[in-house]
Amino acid sequence: MNFSDIINRLKLNRDLPDGELKFLISSDEANEQLALAADEIRRANYGEDVYIRGLIEFSNYCKNNCYYCGIRCGNTKAVRYRLTKADIMECCAQGYSLGFRTFVLQGGEDPHFTDEVMCDIIAEIRQNYPDCAITLSVGERSRESYQAYFNAGANRFLLRHETATDDHYRRLHPKNLSLQNRKQCLFDLKEIGFQVGSGFMVGSPYQSDDNLLADLRFLQTLQPDMIGIGPFIRHEDTPFATFDSGDLYKTLRLVSILRLMFPYALIPSTTALGTIHPQGREMGLRAGANVVMPNLSPKRVRELYMLYDNKISTDEEAAESVDKLKKKVVSAGYRVVTARGDVKKEN
Ligand code: 5AD
């Protein structure tokens, strides 16, 4: 089968009819050509640059009970921790000296971190590091809360929609969570002025290619600045303990399709990709990703932020080994830059 025509049209129009998109999503043989096209588009927009973000996983307490996630509140085996403001500031100081100019504060939906606590932390980071971007990944909150975080100095927000299909959403989440609210959060965040990131898991239980198509269509409506995807990976202490992981090559194919549909997006080569294959991170970059997010959390808690089994916290994942990471990125054909790395968007 010759994919050139379809891929060229995707490259040109950033879109395809449903049938052809689904065909690409499902075609293993399309990977190589898709990756080449995606790499061309990525180089045209971002050159060889790979942006680095310092990830601070500041709490693994979570009030939600999502069926796929290792830090769900129902997992009584999870050893819980939360970082103090002083811990977080220490992470930022270390990160800054290593060259990081974006700090990503990611955590479960932990009620301890009220708006007051969050704003206090954000404001201090903003004051100490005026040249850095502050990214939040703290889940669903009210529009007022989001506005308060923005006013305190946060610039970006990551909130994956996880799946854009209602009944699939229902099968991944307990009743008290709704896709509608999640989407509302994303649109609120955008209106407030955040650079917004969304995304989904590939190969999550019960997912069909129609679901993936709906994910792409939803992203076209949202027009996010960042798009994070990774394979689903089971966690032994969740209801999905026996499901298979998502497919590496399908995930890579979707990274490439996303690059072609969203040329300006910041797309991370995610930890989950690095977890299912030793070279997953490099493969993600070659498929069109242009961001990596090494871990800046204190060493003592790294093993505890276990969203899924075997989540890697190897040297290359660690912010303090940024030199090793740089070499890896060079070996993949790109280079790490320390710029803040804001989105380059024309719309
Ligand atoms: N496998 C892969 N990704 C997962 N996430 C949560 N649990 C898993 C899992 N079991 C992802 C979700 C969430 C992000 C922080 O991690 O997509 O948005």
Side-chain angles (χ1 to χ4, degrees), residues 181-209:
N181 192 58
R182 200 147 185 104
K183 286 181 175 172
Q184 190 56 52
C185 287
L186 285 162
F187 289 111
D188 285 346
L189 287 160
K190 241 190 122 161
E191 264 180 39
I192 289 168
F194 283 98
Q195 290 175 46
V196 170
S198 198
F200 52 90
M201 289 175 284
V202 178
S204 59
Y206 313 111
Q207 184 182 63
S208 66
D209 287 348

Side-chain angles (χ1 to χ4, degrees), residues 66-71 106-107 137 158-162 182 199-202 204-205 228-235 238 240 245-246 272 305-309 311:
C66 308
Y67 304 144
Y68 46 85
C69 183
I71 65 168
Q106 182 170 97
S137 176
L158 304 177
L159 183 71
R160 290 189 181 176
H161 65 276
E162 313 295 0
R182 200 147 185 104
F200 52 90
M201 289 175 284
V202 178
S204 59
I229 69 165
F232 161 78
I233 304 172
R234 67 163 160 248
H235 186 294
T238 64
F240 289 164
S245 291
Y305 202 82
M306 268 303 155
L307 302 180
Y308 41 80
D309 287 345
K311 180 168 163 263

Side-chain angles (χ1 to χ4, degrees), residues 83-124:
L83 300 185
T84 63
K85 181 182 173 188
D87 293 331
I88 295 172
M89 296 314 298
E90 178 62 31
C91 295
C92 293
Q94 204 209 351
Y96 193 88
S97 67
L98 289 167
F100 289 86
R101 295 296 176 267
T102 293
F103 302 120
V104 182
L105 298 184
Q106 182 170 97
E109 294 196 16
D110 180 355
H112 168 84
F113 289 89
T114 59
D115 289 353
E116 206 185 332
V117 174
M118 282 308 299
C119 287
D120 181 48
I121 295 167
I122 295 164
E124 179 139 344

Side-chain angles (χ1 to χ4, degrees), residues 57-91:
E57 295 164 335
F58 67 90
S59 170
N60 72 348
Y61 283 87
C62 190
K63 65 179 162 70
N64 291 332
N65 212 17
C66 308
Y67 304 144
Y68 46 85
C69 183
I71 65 168
R72 64 201 304 268
C73 64
N75 180 8
T76 50
K77 289 197 187 159
V79 177
R80 307 286 171 171
Y81 74 91
R82 53 173 74 95
L83 300 185
T84 63
K85 181 182 173 188
D87 293 331
I88 295 172
M89 296 314 298
E90 178 62 31
C91 295

